[in-house]
Amino acid sequence: MEIVSRWTAFGGEQLVCRHTSSATGTPMTLGVFVPPQALETPCPVLTYLSGLTCTHANVMEKGEYRQAAAELGIVVVCPDTSPRGEDVADDEAYDLGQGAGFYVDATEAPWAPHFRMRTYVEEELPALIRANFNVAADRQSIFGHSMGGHGALTVALRNPDRYRSVSAFAPIVAPSQVPWGVKAFSEYLGEDPAAWRRHDAVALIEDGARVPEILVDQGESDSFVITELRPELLVKACEDAGIALTLRMQQGYDHSYYFISTFMAEHIAWHAERLA
């Protein structure tokens, strides 16, 4: 793994790293914040999955997570949202192709050769972090925003023994039922909705997947909340399944990083309690 750049921050280091991915068959770039505690002891890992159009850099530059992560001794990993490159399939629309991987393993042409973000996030990335950083392999959690909130919820629900906790900012909770998800899943996974269910948090819960608890922050002024995010569907699924969901509707906040950065430290502290 190549370290592209590094900066000292809050006594730790913010790195940008690059490696060749066996999952996607492309170079992949990620941000990794290493807290000062990692010089002396293995630290827990918190992975952040970003939303549509984002790279690793959006949360790294706007998310304001480093001070809390340094104080609490947590390694924060920020991968890209999709494979990229001249030979990687793409689309002119912002919600499909590069920057819009939806954290699935695509089965359909032209996406299948490279769009394997589920395998990348669930398997390759954790192994890469274990091999290159002083981390506690049995102490990891996951969170994300929008499309990345969808990714975090589905990854945690599919791997409840691996992740200590999961939270999200404005997640797409039921992509099978909203325009963003229907478009992406039809392209990546084919037209059969039955193939979509293991990539849909609400469907996973309906089909028996369980985590002990979920924390979600949602801006009340988010322009996507009614058509794309549908938090009420997650509320019902968790109520029916007995999952402790904390949904905080935040007055005046939208879908932006102004919203995310406001509540970022609270999410990191919440995960830190469960990673202790």
Side-chain angles (χ1 to χ4, degrees):
M1 189 177 67
E2 174 191 3
I3 296 178
V4 178
S5 55
R6 64 199 314 157
W7 301 272
T8 300
F10 297 100
E13 281 196 313
Q14 176 65 62
L15 309 177
V16 174
C17 307
R18 183 182 296 124
H19 71 107
T20 299
S21 168
S22 59
T24 68
T26 67
M28 294 293 289
T29 303
L30 62 149
V32 182
F33 177 70
V34 183
Q37 294 88 335
L39 293 174
E40 299 179 357
T41 186
C43 291
V45 179
L46 180 58
T47 299
Y48 177 91
L49 303 183
S50 292
L52 288 166
T53 75
C54 290
T55 70
H56 69 284
N58 294 75
V59 67
M60 197 179 80
E61 296 170 357
K62 303 175 184 178
E64 300 183 21
Y65 56 81
R66 278 174 285 271
Q67 182 172 2
E71 291 173 355
L72 295 166
I74 295 176
V75 174
V76 179
V77 178
C78 309
D80 202 347
T81 53
S82 78
R84 299 179 191 271
E86 293 183 0
D87 297 329
V88 177
D90 200 6
D91 190 271
E92 293 182 355
Y94 75 94
D95 54 357
L96 188 68
Q98 296 184 38
F102 268 84
Y103 304 101
V104 303
D105 281 356
T107 58
E108 304 299 304
W111 315 104
H114 300 296
F115 280 73
R116 297 183 53 80
M117 290 302 293
R118 173 182 173 177
T119 295
Y120 180 72
V121 170
E122 289 188 6
E123 304 296 338
E124 185 175 8
L125 184 60
L128 182 77
I129 298 302
R130 288 195 302 270
N132 287 276
F133 298 97
N134 189 19
V135 298
D138 61 339
R139 297 163 64 199
Q140 59 177 322
S141 294
I142 192 165
F143 66 151
H145 168 233
S146 193
M147 178 186 72
H150 138 74
L153 291 172
T154 56
V155 168
L157 285 162
R158 288 191 300 258
N159 301 276
D161 296 333
R162 188 183 305 174
Y163 294 92
R164 297 275 189 97
S165 52
V166 58
S167 73
F169 303 97
I172 308 170
V173 304
S176 300
Q177 301 184 52
V178 301
W180 275 342
V182 170
K183 177 181 179 178
F185 285 5
S186 297
E187 285 281 337
Y188 295 147
L189 303 173
E191 297 293 340
D192 182 5
W196 304 353
R197 295 188 66 83
R198 286 191 60 77
H199 306 276
D200 181 308
V202 167
L204 280 164
I205 294 170
E206 291 173 347
D207 292 345
R210 297 290 183 268
V211 292
E213 56 186 331
I214 299 170
L215 170 64
V216 171
D217 273 303
Q218 172 65 61
E220 287 188 353
S221 298
D222 190 327
S223 60
F224 301 116
V225 66
I226 295 174
T227 57
E228 303 285 5
L229 307 179
R230 304 290 304 277
E232 73 279 2
L233 298 178
L234 183 63
V235 170
K236 184 180 187 304
C238 288
E239 286 178 348
D240 292 345
I243 295 173
L245 170 66
T246 300
L247 172 62
R248 307 191 302 187
M249 299 298 296
Q250 304 290 1
Q251 185 176 3
Y253 288 92
D254 61 8
H255 201 68
S256 72
Y257 269 91
Y258 295 107
F259 157 62
I260 297 166
S261 63
T262 300
F263 302 102
M264 176 65 79
E266 294 180 22
H267 277 244
I268 291 178
W270 185 84
H271 285 289
E273 291 179 0
R274 288 146 184 83
L275 287 164

